[in-house]
Amino acid sequence: MKATLAAPPRFRLVRRDGPHLVLECDEDFTAHFFVLERDIFRVAVLPGPRFAMTRTWAITAGEDDVAEGGRDRFDVSGFSAPAFELADSGELIVVATDRLRVAINPIGLSCVWSMATPDGWTEIARDRHTQAYNFGWWDRKIHHYLARKPTERYYGLGERCGDMDRALRRFRLRNTDALGYDASTTDPLYKHIPFYITHDKTAATAFGLFYDTYADCEFDFGAERSAYHGLFRSFVAEAGDLDYYVIAGPAVADVTRRFTWLTGRPAFPPQWSLGYSGSTMSYTDAPDAQSRMAEFIDKCRRHDILCDSFHLSSGYTSIGSRRHVFHWNHEKFPDPAAFARSYHDAGLKLCANIKPCLLAENPLFEEAREKRFLICDATGEPVWTQFWDGLGTYVDFTNPAARSWWEEQVTSSLLAYGIDATWNDNNEYEIASPQALAQGLEGTPPAMESKPLQPLLMMRASRDAQKCFAPGRRAFVVSRSGAAGMQRYAQTWSGDNTTSWKTLRYNIKMGLGLALSGVSNSGHDVGGFTGPAPDAELFVRWVEAGIFMPRFSIHSWNTGGTVNEPWMYPDATPRVRELIVLRHALKPYLYDLLRHYREEFEPMWRPLFYDFPGDPRCTDESDTYMLGSQLLIAPVCVPNTRTLGLYLPAGTGWTDFWRGTRIAGGRDVRVEAPLGRPVVFVRDGAAIAMNAAEQHFDHRADEPAFAVFPPRRGRIDAASYVDDGESESWRDGQFGYWHISLDCANRLEIACRKSGGRPPPSDRLAILLRPRETRPATISGGMLLSDETGASWRKIVIAVEPGIQGRAPLDP
């Protein structure tokens, strides 16, 4: 950092290289402006010509991944680099596309940002008029200050506790193992995503700011006040560079999709990852763990609980009371391969817990130490950190040799035994020593300056091990910690939550904040991970909420040794079973959302204002959210509640999923909410892809269907994506779609067909209507097989003509 300046430096434009503008000043600070897209600009302000960290692993410009060694920060490949206007009067430098404009004051580099709207250029942000950047005035940290308006709301930063609007609060991004956190107040948490969306409710504009850093940092959205600077918000990072991206809306949805595109195309995991996944620490901590694991299958069968996978907690690695990654405790698991086969025979996949920190007693420690695979100091000695019940040293994933070694261990210790996937846990990298070095980064900087990069590279190594072991099969990785771009590799969850009604409410908001930040494939430990066991009512309400989250796992480490399981309360077990059946019936819809998330960067679940930006009521804090664009979910988060009040967004009508009654939007309603029946509304004209087959633990079946909610008049067009659910053949076009069209008037005219390089294999399609829908139906593109009305659904079954084909759309 330069010596203290008496006045802000004056910059001048010295070079233009395609989309890259370079500004310099006499005090040796350098500013770089990049026009990357019509709606994405980038700014870097450096105390010299070079970046402190020369590469990034966050930016991919819509690709599946970044190069293994990261991306050079001056690399603009993959961006469209559009034409732009540049005007330099000496007193003001203006850079503009048709969507985004920045006016730069050369004195102090103060920027004013504007967005094109129907009313012309609308200001969306401006740097604070006093000392917006740290030109050597305070310390060696990275500072950026912007003016703040009272009408602004702020969303994002990944998972954060409390309300979704971050205004008037301060947050620290410092990956932390926050066991038993308070979901309304605890800070910091597990992930590091320095991205947020500003929404101005008066101007109806939104834009995003992403700070590309791996350093610990802090965001202040108005918690701090000053007599000298006016209203402001701030970003401060402990190290690194000031390197930020501005993403123009105009709506929140536009910003989220664009940020997800910027940081990478989401992974497309196997379909089984959307099913119920069992888990608890109690089974693998037991001395007879393999027998306890067998009991889980027996109980699923006895209670007829549908289950697709099990997350194997770290007790399988124990030596004494400590856990040692890649070690099998053969007293607990006498035959790991036979154990894995037993789960596969029952139709369940296994996802094993792995941790990136080696305790000194780990059988692999000396090898890892000798080959310098661990976080070390300048002399090569491991740097110790507190980890669980002892001291350990983290694997250094910036070291390519360490990554290769990790992949070998995942393969030989897990995949070779039949483990299907990896659960990357306790990977927050809580490094506090400045002597710890990142060996694989240029200049070998302190490891504490790039802690979130480690879990990102850990995910990649765990994924690559699976891809190498079974090239034709999709990898599946789960990770607790991470950084921007983690959606390219992993599903995630909100960490070690506490059992309470408050946690249920605020966990939902945490998941929605993650989804707005590009990471949509997420969920929570249903029932709560730690604390007392949930009572029966709380447990059922939590399952009601959990079945609509992309990740649905019941996982616990309750005080008192109790276990959260579907059958933990016999009187509630039938309700829990039916809820899990509903989850499995909705898997085709969730799979559509997962595919759409990958292809169109559309979050799977999102707050109401995402889909209804014109309705001011949708920005009110609430527990209600959208699952895709068609389903409105209203969880019950208060005990002893049997009716629920909620707001239905304007601009469409809504149908009660259970009763089939239609209600106009734009109004508050109160609806029945009996225990075991979640409150769900369906948007007018929706067609929800479902599996209508009766399901049992030992008998899975597939009956393609659409649950259709037709208007009195109008047309519905819908499609549902289908592939084999597990292989990589979809990359070669081996997928297809079901298509339906309904013309709705005095009768329902239904047309259906299949399309694609691998059309759906079934020759039958069911149309599900609520019993009150009694209009006669006519069929084209197939033959009517039956039209029967039961207690819950009117079911029309169609034999689809095999010759009715078409071209598969990219976006159904």
Side-chain angles (χ1 to χ4, degrees):
M1 189 68 66
K2 307 301 177 185
T4 300
L5 303 181
R10 184 182 184 96
F11 285 82
R12 57 192 176 275
L13 178 63
V14 298
R15 188 167 69 255
R16 173 178 178 176
D17 183 11
H20 180 193
L21 305 177
V22 181
L23 285 71
E24 295 178 351
C25 65
D26 292 338
E27 291 79 8
D28 294 335
F29 288 93
T30 308
H32 301 267
F33 285 76
F34 299 83
V35 181
L36 301 174
E37 300 286 337
R38 296 165 58 214
D39 54 349
I40 302 177
F41 287 12
R42 176 184 166 206
V43 181
V45 183
L46 311 177
R50 289 174 52 82
F51 285 94
M53 190 172 187
T54 60
R55 307 190 76 80
T56 176
W57 283 259
I59 305 302
T60 71
E63 297 297 324
D64 281 0
D65 210 348
V66 67
E68 184 178 16
R71 177 189 180 104
D72 187 283
R73 287 186 184 263
F74 285 112
D75 183 3
V76 295
S77 63
F79 293 101
S80 65
F84 61 92
E85 296 179 0
L86 172 62
D88 182 1
S89 68
E91 300 302 317
L92 198 66
I93 302 170
V94 179
V95 183
T97 67
D98 62 338
R99 295 279 304 280
L100 184 61
R101 182 177 72 183
V102 59
I104 309 160
N105 185 340
I107 300 176
L109 210 67
S110 180
C111 296
V112 177
W113 297 87
S114 302
M115 182 192 307
T117 67
D119 297 325
W121 288 106
T122 299
E123 181 181 315
I124 56 173
R126 63 170 55 229
D127 286 333
R128 194 175 72 180
H129 71 283
T130 54
Q131 298 179 307
Y133 303 93
N134 184 13
F135 294 120
W137 285 318
W138 306 295
D139 49 34
R140 299 183 64 85
K141 298 179 183 180
I142 308 304
H143 296 249
H144 185 208
Y145 297 88
L146 292 101
R148 178 177 64 83
K149 300 176 185 177
T151 55
E152 290 175 336
R153 297 182 174 95
Y154 310 108
Y155 303 107
L157 299 185
E159 57 181 9
R160 297 293 111 191
C161 287
D163 288 339
M164 289 199 65
D165 182 7
R166 318 302 191 198
L168 305 181
R169 291 187 289 161
R170 180 185 289 117
F171 298 91
R172 293 172 296 163
L173 271 63
R174 191 190 71 208
N175 298 32
T176 301
D177 184 347
L179 171 68
Y181 60 85
D182 185 309
S184 65
T185 60
T186 299
D187 182 75
L189 289 172
Y190 300 89
K191 297 174 183 68
H192 184 278
I193 304 178
F195 162 78
Y196 70 94
I197 300 169
T198 300
H199 174 250
D200 190 329
K201 60 185 179 183
T202 56
T205 58
F207 75 96
L209 272 174
F210 170 54
Y211 293 90
D212 190 0
T213 181
Y214 296 110
D216 289 350
C217 52
E218 180 178 282
F219 288 84
D220 188 307
F221 296 108
E224 181 179 345
R225 293 274 185 149
S226 169
Y228 306 108
H229 300 294
L231 297 181
F232 68 91
R233 47 186 153 141
S234 65
F235 162 81
V236 179
E238 294 294 318
D241 305 291
L242 179 57
D243 185 5
Y244 66 92
Y245 293 73
V246 177
I247 306 171
V252 169
D254 301 312
V255 179
T256 287
R257 286 192 296 264
R258 209 61 164 133
F259 175 68
T260 311
W261 173 86
L262 180 69
T263 53
R265 199 171 289 279
F268 191 39
Q271 192 173 28
W272 59 260
S273 69
L274 294 171
Y276 160 53
S277 187
S279 187
T280 177
M281 288 186 64
S282 299
Y283 291 175
T284 56
D285 281 352
D288 57 343
Q290 190 162 338
S291 297
R292 292 292 304 277
M293 292 293 297
E295 290 174 9
F296 178 79
I297 295 177
D298 292 341
K299 289 179 179 179
C300 283
R301 182 173 287 115
R302 185 188 321 156
H303 296 287
D304 202 14
I305 299 294
L306 305 177
C307 185
D308 282 359
S309 65
F310 194 94
H311 278 60
L312 191 68
S313 289
S314 57
Y316 77 95
T317 69
S318 65
I319 300 176
S321 62
R322 300 189 177 190
R323 295 154 203 269
H324 297 282
V325 64
F326 301 132
H327 170 265
W328 280 94
N329 182 321
H330 288 285
E331 293 181 358
K332 293 182 177 182
F333 287 88
D335 191 342
F339 156 66
R341 284 195 300 273
S342 70
Y343 264 66
H344 293 164
D345 291 345
L348 277 71
K349 306 291 186 181
L350 285 167
C351 186
N353 186 287
I354 50 179
K355 306 181 189 300
C357 193
L358 273 61
L359 300 177
E361 303 88 354
N362 189 300
L364 295 171
F365 184 86
E366 285 306 321
E367 176 192 356
R369 175 179 186 165
E370 179 183 341
K371 295 180 179 178
R372 300 188 69 164
F373 295 155
L374 305 175
I375 298 269
C376 299
D377 62 19
T379 69
E381 284 300 304
V383 177
W384 300 96
T385 188
Q386 186 65 41
F387 190 80
W388 276 61
D389 49 2
L391 292 176
T393 304
Y394 288 104
V395 174
D396 185 358
F397 284 96
T398 69
N399 179 353
R403 293 197 296 271
S404 297
W405 175 81
W406 182 267
E407 292 171 26
E408 292 168 3
Q409 299 308 317
V410 168
T411 300
S412 62
S413 301
L414 298 173
L415 305 180
Y417 283 104
I419 299 298
D420 301 280
T422 51
W423 172 12
N424 293 217
D425 198 11
N426 298 100
N427 52 351
E428 286 71 35
Y429 275 75
E430 296 187 52
I431 301 167
S433 170
Q435 280 73 47
L437 303 177
Q439 301 171 70
L441 300 183
E442 182 179 340
T444 320
M448 61 192 300
E449 295 180 3
S450 58
K451 292 180 292 185
L453 177 59
Q454 297 282 355
L456 200 69
L457 296 177
M458 179 191 181
M459 291 176 232
R460 179 173 181 146
S462 299
R463 179 206 64 183
D464 288 351
Q466 295 180 50
K467 289 173 64 177
C468 184
F469 183 78
R473 195 169 64 207
R474 287 181 229 172
F476 179 52
V477 176
V478 179
S479 182
R480 186 171 75 179
S481 186
M486 66 181 295
Q487 72 273 5
R488 305 192 301 258
Y489 310 113
Q491 182 187 80
T492 190
W493 83 108
S494 59
D496 295 341
N497 56 356
T498 304
T499 299
S500 71
W501 286 93
K502 180 171 69 172
T503 302
L504 170 59
R505 162 167 284 157
Y506 285 104
N507 269 177
I508 293 167
K509 297 175 187 292
M510 290 169 68
L512 297 174
L514 262 176
L516 290 181
S517 306
V519 183
S520 182
N521 190 353
S522 71
H524 314 285
D525 283 346
V526 170
F529 175 74
T530 190
D535 62 27
E537 181 188 15
L538 175 55
F539 182 65
V540 171
R541 291 302 194 193
W542 212 312
V543 174
E544 288 178 17
I547 63 169
F548 297 109
M549 297 173 188
R551 171 179 169 84
F552 174 46
S553 180
I554 300 172
H555 179 49
S556 62
W557 188 32
N558 296 339
T559 54
T562 58
V563 180
N564 294 347
E565 299 167 302
W567 44 82
M568 65 188 297
Y569 295 107
D571 290 345
T573 300
R575 289 190 177 101
V576 173
R577 181 194 181 277
E578 290 307 309
L579 288 167
I580 295 176
V581 166
L582 176 59
R583 167 69 173 211
H584 279 254
L586 286 171
K587 277 174 69 176
Y589 180 67
L590 290 164
Y591 199 47
D592 271 342
L593 298 183
L594 189 62
R595 171 73 175 183
H596 202 56
Y597 175 41
R598 174 179 170 79
E599 297 299 327
E600 302 299 325
F601 311 102
E602 193 86 57
M604 298 174 70
W605 53 327
R606 55 270 198 136
L608 297 182
F609 58 77
Y610 183 97
D611 288 278
F612 301 96
D615 186 341
R617 285 287 306 278
C618 289
T619 57
D620 295 346
E621 290 287 339
S622 76
D623 304 324
T624 308
Y625 64 91
M626 296 295 295
L627 181 63
S629 62
Q630 306 298 308
L631 295 181
L632 182 147
I633 313 298
V636 176
C637 300
V638 178
N640 304 314
T641 298
R642 296 299 180 267
T643 64
L644 186 68
L646 69 148
Y647 175 75
L648 295 175
T652 184
W654 299 91
T655 299
D656 185 313
F657 180 81
W658 302 103
R659 297 164 60 87
T661 53
R662 184 184 179 280
I663 303 175
R667 56 185 293 194
D668 293 289
V669 298
R670 179 160 289 277
V671 297
E672 295 180 3
L675 192 64
R677 198 181 77 182
V679 175
V680 182
F681 279 86
V682 187
R683 196 172 184 167
D684 266 1
I688 309 299
M690 295 185 70
N691 181 358
E694 185 176 348
Q695 305 285 342
H696 299 282
F697 178 78
D698 282 322
H699 179 69
R700 304 297 178 88
D702 183 35
E703 184 179 5
F706 284 91
V708 181
F709 299 82
R712 294 311 304 169
R713 293 189 176 276
R715 181 180 173 86
I716 297 175
D717 290 290
S720 176
Y721 174 86
V722 180
D723 62 20
D724 64 20
E726 192 161 4
S727 81
E728 292 280 12
S729 64
W730 63 273
R731 295 184 183 274
D732 300 319
Q734 295 302 298
F735 60 87
Y737 290 92
W738 283 109
H739 303 264
I740 63 165
S741 298
L742 278 79
D743 282 314
C744 308
N746 294 329
R747 59 192 309 110
L748 302 178
E749 298 181 6
I750 305 172
C752 52
R753 63 184 177 90
K754 300 189 286 185
S755 73
R758 180 185 177 274
S762 175
D763 60 359
R764 295 189 178 197
L765 182 67
I767 305 298
L768 304 178
L769 305 163
R770 282 306 181 189
R772 66 177 60 234
E773 177 53 76
T774 59
R775 283 175 282 182
T778 58
I779 309 298
S780 62
M783 179 176 66
L784 178 65
L785 296 179
S786 62
D787 184 351
E788 299 176 353
T789 300
S792 299
W793 296 100
R794 175 188 174 190
K795 185 176 182 181
I796 301 171
V797 181
I798 302 165
V800 181
E801 297 176 9
I804 303 297
Q805 294 263 332
R807 183 179 178 185
L810 173 66
D811 174 11

